[in-house]
């Protein structure tokens, strides 16, 4: 069943991407990874997927989107069925329905009601019993889930479905309806939570059912039973319909748009990601003035870009960028490592607001000796650079009064400081102990960073990844704590020439004279360290030896497909 639901979601995306009906042959090839699919075979493969999802329908031998029934009805002429469920848990498929309550609204007047207990065939648990008052003994005499769902579907008919937090209730109803009939519910759905948040934003900050019932003074009081909760939701809906009409809503489609949460509004921009390849690369979010809002990288551009429009779990800075998004630009690279380096370069160039969590190079600090202590400075030294100025300052305060050996190697001060922390705690000097604890934590982080940098500075290797051009290899020469050179190795004898040039760069650079790291070099070094610690399948690491590099490059998997040869792709709104 889950495979069929996933296939239906991918089919809807394909039709939306094509902006019109898609032939059965193409849909079958894309959904089932077939090289060819005659019309008859394609229709037979897609028949169950199309029949089980109300969002798509056959258009001859093509598949197109289906308009929800009743979406164009005027608000005052539409029939609404407000539904509420009580369940044994929170997850459809694992938890079961134990009660259904519904109220029909016809011509903006409360009409018939529906109520039934449901036998979930499993114990409902003490928490549900305490919350709802329902007991296993009551439910054992109730109708089965299939019988209750059939009765509810007969009651609802083709009315507009309404629920408070519709994602929860419709998740259970969709699953049980699909198991019973083979198709999901096709009616338009309105969520009173989203509608209340939109229409009452300046009047109340709470959109819970009990809070709204108190705000509007409903006659029915929600009590975690299906019918009373549905009655309260129905009264709330009637009040919200009047406010929606004041906002200019005239049809059910307008009402659903008002009720759409932010994630649904962002979802409407998913067409901006259509056409993205499945290759590694970087992407730039741009606003209507073509300013860069956010820069990111991906191993699979298509999957990464589409993920932004499928979930509401985004950082606030990224959510703000998505709200102002008007165009997505993507640039294909040969590997994820190359995409990561390009992402760093673009962030430094554009400084997009959505990447605010990434420290700017001009804010990095170093540690420098001053008398018998260390101080923070932006003058490059061998101790640094550090991204966190706060941690560096705490480390400096922890080393006040340190010995010469401890100033030369800050890790030597940690045992002494930990012993002092224990003494302060034993003497109940808790405020002094708390300050010292924070300074020790800052020093520990600085010491870990220094050790990591020391290991990376000793790295001498050639990192090989596929290049953008098919058959070519990208070689990054790492030595002395920085990228000494980056060369593209062509097929044939030309690779020897490029390898020799890269090794010449390594030999020519006088790393002894450049004993400190610049912030830009630190970012690149930490990045390559991450890839060396967990290398992706296409990455190879070779010592700085021409023959070994050439052999590793020959064994590298070739870049795949024509999509890698696309230099730049952009999609306009």
């Amino acid at each position: 069943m889950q495979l069929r639901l996933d296939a239906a979601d991918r089919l809807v995306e394909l039709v939306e991407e094509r902006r019109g009906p898609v032939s059965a042959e193409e849909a079958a090839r894309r959904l089932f990874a077939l090289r060819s699919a005659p019309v008859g075979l394609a229709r037979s493969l897609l028949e169950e997927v199309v029949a089980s999802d109300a969002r798509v329908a056959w258009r001859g031998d093509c598949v197109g989107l289906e308009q929800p029934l009743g979406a164009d009805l005027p608000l005052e002429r539409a029939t609404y069925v407000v539904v509420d469920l009580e369940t044994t848990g929170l997850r459809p498929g694992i938890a079961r329905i134990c009660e259904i309550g519904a109220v029909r609204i016809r011509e903006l007047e409360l009409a018939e009601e529906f109520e039934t207990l449901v036998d979930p065939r499993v114990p409902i648990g003490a928490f549900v019993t305490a919350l709802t008052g329902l007991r296993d003994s009551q439910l054992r005499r109730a109708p089965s889930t299939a019988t209750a769902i059939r009765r509810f579907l007969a009651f609802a008919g083709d009315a507009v479905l309404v629920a408070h937090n519709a994602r929860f209730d419709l998740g259970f109803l969709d699953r049980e309806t699909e198991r019973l009939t083979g198709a999901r519910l096709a009616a338009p759905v309105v969520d009173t939570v989203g509608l209340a948040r939109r229409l009452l934003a300046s009047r109340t900050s709470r959109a819970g059912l009990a809070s709204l019932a108190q705000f509007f003074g409903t006659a029915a009081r929600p009590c975690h039973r299906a019918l009373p909760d549905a009655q309260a939701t129905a009264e709330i809906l009637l009040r919200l319909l009047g406010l929606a009409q004041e906002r200019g809503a005239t049809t059910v489609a307008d009402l659903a748009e008002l009720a759409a949460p932010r994630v649904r509004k962002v979802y409407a921009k998913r067409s901006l990601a259509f056409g993205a390849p499945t290759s590694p690369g970087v992407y730039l979010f741009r606003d209507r003035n073509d300013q860069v809002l956010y820069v990111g990288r991906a191993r699979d551009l298509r999957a990464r870009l589409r993920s932004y429009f499928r979930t509401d779990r985004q950082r606030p800075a990224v959510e703000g960028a998505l709200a102002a998004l008007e165009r997505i630009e993507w640039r294909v690279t040969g590997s994820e490592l190359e995409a990561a380096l390009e992402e760093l370069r673009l962030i430094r160039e554009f400084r997009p607001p959505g990447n605010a969590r990434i420290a700017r190079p001009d804010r990095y600090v170093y540690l420098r000796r001053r008398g018998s202590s260390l101080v923070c400075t932006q003058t490059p030294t061998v101790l640094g650079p550090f991204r966190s100025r706060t941690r560096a300052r705490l480390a400096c305060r922890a080393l006040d009064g340190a010995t010469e050996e401890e100033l030369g190697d800050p890790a030597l001060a940690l045992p002494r400081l930990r012993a002092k922390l224990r003494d302060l705690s034993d003497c109940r000097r808790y405020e002094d102990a708390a300050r010292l604890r924070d300074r020790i934590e800052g020093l520990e982080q600085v010491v870990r960073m220094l050790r990591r940098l020391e290991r990376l500075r000793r790295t001498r290797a050639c990192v090989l990844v596929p290049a953008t051009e098919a058959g070519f290899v990208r070689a990054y020469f790492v030595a002395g704590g920085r990228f000494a050179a980056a060369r593209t190795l062509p097929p044939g004898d030309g690779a020897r020439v490029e390898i020799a040039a890269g090794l010449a760069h390594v030999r020519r650079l006088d790393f002894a004279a450049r004993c400190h790291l610049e912030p830009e070099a630190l970012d690149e070094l930490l990045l390559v360290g991450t890839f060396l610690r967990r290398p992706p399948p296409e990455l190879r690491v070779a010592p700085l030896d021409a023959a070994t590099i050439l052999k590793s490059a020959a064994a590298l998997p070739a870049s795949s497909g024509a999509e890698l040869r696309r230099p730049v792709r952009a999609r306009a709104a």
Side-chain angles (χ1 to χ4, degrees):
M1 180 189 300
Q2 188 59 46
L3 292 175
R4 184 165 68 249
L5 297 179
D6 292 342
D9 291 338
R10 295 199 306 271
L11 182 58
V12 170
E13 287 185 358
L14 178 61
V15 176
E16 291 174 338
E17 182 174 344
R18 292 292 184 269
R19 301 180 185 273
V22 177
S23 66
E25 303 98 304
E26 180 182 1
R29 288 198 304 269
R30 293 287 296 273
L31 263 64
F32 304 109
L34 301 175
R35 290 187 177 181
S36 62
V39 177
L41 174 62
R43 284 194 65 111
S44 64
L45 292 173
L46 294 170
E47 192 66 46
E48 190 176 4
V49 177
V50 175
S52 66
D53 199 290
R55 297 172 294 174
V56 291
W58 287 108
R59 302 285 187 265
D61 286 332
C62 297
V63 180
L65 293 180
E66 184 73 280
Q67 179 71 16
L69 297 174
D72 295 330
L73 276 175
L75 292 179
E76 62 275 9
R77 292 181 53 194
T79 299
Y80 306 89
V81 168
V82 182
V83 61
D84 186 83
L85 306 179
E86 298 302 327
T87 63
T88 62
L90 301 178
R91 295 182 60 184
I94 298 177
R96 307 289 180 84
I97 299 173
C98 56
E99 187 178 24
I100 304 175
V103 176
R104 180 181 286 118
I105 297 177
R106 186 184 292 110
E107 296 181 356
L108 303 184
E109 295 287 342
L110 297 176
E112 300 84 7
E113 297 178 348
F114 173 88
E115 182 182 23
T116 181
L117 296 176
V118 183
D119 183 4
R121 303 291 177 89
V122 294
I124 61 174
F127 176 78
V128 177
T129 297
L131 185 68
T132 64
L134 295 172
R135 300 183 180 276
D136 290 323
S137 57
Q138 295 175 267
L139 300 179
R140 279 196 293 269
R141 298 190 298 269
S144 66
T145 301
T147 301
I149 290 295
R150 285 194 182 95
R151 292 176 182 174
F152 170 73
L153 293 178
F155 175 81
D158 58 357
V160 178
L161 293 178
V162 182
H164 198 76
N165 191 14
R167 183 178 181 181
F168 175 83
D169 296 281
L170 270 294
F172 281 90
L173 288 176
D174 265 334
R175 184 174 182 85
E176 297 300 334
T177 303
E178 204 277 339
R179 290 176 59 185
L180 187 63
T181 67
R184 296 176 179 177
L185 295 169
V189 177
V190 175
D191 189 351
T192 49
V193 170
L195 197 59
R197 286 174 177 167
R198 181 70 178 272
L199 298 175
L200 303 174
S202 60
R203 300 169 64 183
T204 179
S205 59
R206 297 183 177 181
L209 184 58
S211 299
L212 292 177
Q214 183 176 5
F215 180 83
F216 286 118
T218 61
R221 309 303 297 178
C223 58
H224 293 292
R225 290 297 299 269
L227 184 58
D229 288 3
Q231 291 169 336
T233 304
E235 293 184 56
I236 292 169
L237 174 67
L238 291 175
R239 302 291 296 271
L240 292 175
L241 285 174
L243 296 175
Q245 288 176 319
E246 294 176 6
R247 291 284 189 97
T250 59
T251 66
V252 173
D254 296 337
L255 190 68
E257 175 65 21
L258 278 175
R262 183 188 302 182
V263 65
R264 291 287 302 279
K265 296 183 185 304
V266 172
Y267 181 71
K269 298 182 179 183
R270 64 196 181 282
S271 61
L272 299 177
F274 291 165
T278 57
S279 313
V282 295
Y283 52 90
L284 298 86
F285 290 172
R286 295 182 180 270
D287 62 12
R288 61 182 179 180
N289 299 317
D290 216 35
Q291 298 295 312
V292 177
L293 303 170
Y294 181 74
V295 174
R297 74 173 190 263
R299 184 174 182 83
D300 182 334
L301 281 170
R302 177 182 298 171
R304 184 70 186 98
L305 290 175
R306 290 186 176 185
S307 70
Y308 284 107
F309 309 104
R310 292 176 174 171
T311 178
D312 54 355
R313 296 180 181 179
Q314 301 291 348
R315 291 186 288 110
V318 178
E319 196 68 29
L322 289 171
L325 177 64
E326 292 291 331
R327 185 168 71 90
I328 299 177
E329 175 186 342
W330 54 78
R331 304 177 185 182
V332 174
T333 60
S335 66
E336 192 177 1
L337 173 60
E338 186 180 353
L341 292 171
E342 179 68 6
E343 179 193 31
L344 271 180
R345 186 190 67 80
L346 291 172
I347 290 174
R348 292 172 191 156
E349 178 182 350
F350 294 109
R351 293 186 178 180
N355 298 97
R357 290 200 310 178
I358 298 179
R360 288 164 44 183
D362 57 348
R363 294 181 179 175
Y364 286 25
V365 296
Y366 298 80
L367 301 185
R368 178 173 60 85
R369 290 281 297 271
R370 188 173 71 182
S372 60
S373 62
L374 294 176
V375 295
C376 294
T377 178
Q378 288 191 317
T379 303
T381 69
V382 293
L383 297 178
F386 301 102
R387 291 175 172 173
S388 173
R389 187 186 298 264
T390 300
R391 293 174 184 172
R393 285 175 174 169
L394 287 172
C396 291
R397 291 172 184 169
L399 292 171
D400 283 345
T403 64
E404 288 294 322
E405 292 80 4
E406 291 173 345
L407 292 177
D409 184 2
L412 298 176
L414 287 173
R416 176 179 60 82
L417 293 172
R418 289 168 183 156
K420 183 178 179 180
L421 178 63
R422 288 193 296 270
D423 292 341
L424 290 174
S425 179
D426 291 341
C427 295
R428 299 185 180 182
R429 295 171 57 184
Y430 298 123
E431 292 184 1
D432 293 336
R435 282 192 291 269
L436 181 58
R437 178 203 59 201
D438 294 340
R439 293 174 182 178
I440 290 175
E441 289 177 355
L443 180 59
E444 288 173 339
Q445 292 169 343
V446 164
V447 167
R448 284 196 295 268
M449 186 63 177
L450 289 173
R451 289 175 176 171
R452 185 180 179 188
L453 289 178
E454 185 59 31
R455 289 194 301 270
L456 292 173
R457 279 170 166 157
R458 292 196 300 265
T459 301
R460 293 176 60 83
C462 180
V463 182
L464 301 161
V465 290
T468 307
E469 301 84 358
F472 286 65
V473 173
R474 190 74 171 159
Y476 295 96
F477 296 83
V478 182
R482 53 184 46 81
F483 281 100
R487 312 294 295 186
T488 300
L489 312 184
D493 293 336
R496 299 179 184 274
V497 177
E498 296 295 337
I499 293 173
L503 293 175
H505 276 287
V506 173
R507 289 190 295 269
R508 250 196 331 265
L509 288 176
D510 183 11
F511 295 115
R514 300 175 64 185
C515 55
H516 62 268
L517 278 177
E518 298 85 358
E520 293 82 357
L522 170 68
D523 290 335
E524 294 176 348
L525 191 60
L526 293 176
L527 182 64
V528 75
T530 301
F531 278 85
L532 291 177
R533 189 166 61 251
R534 293 183 177 180
E538 73 277 4
L539 185 143
R540 298 289 184 273
V541 181
L544 294 178
D545 173 73
T548 308
I549 294 173
L550 189 62
K551 183 178 179 181
S552 299
L556 196 69
S559 58
S560 60
E563 285 188 314
L564 284 179
R565 294 192 287 272
R566 301 177 186 174
V568 176
R569 286 292 306 274
R571 189 84 185 178

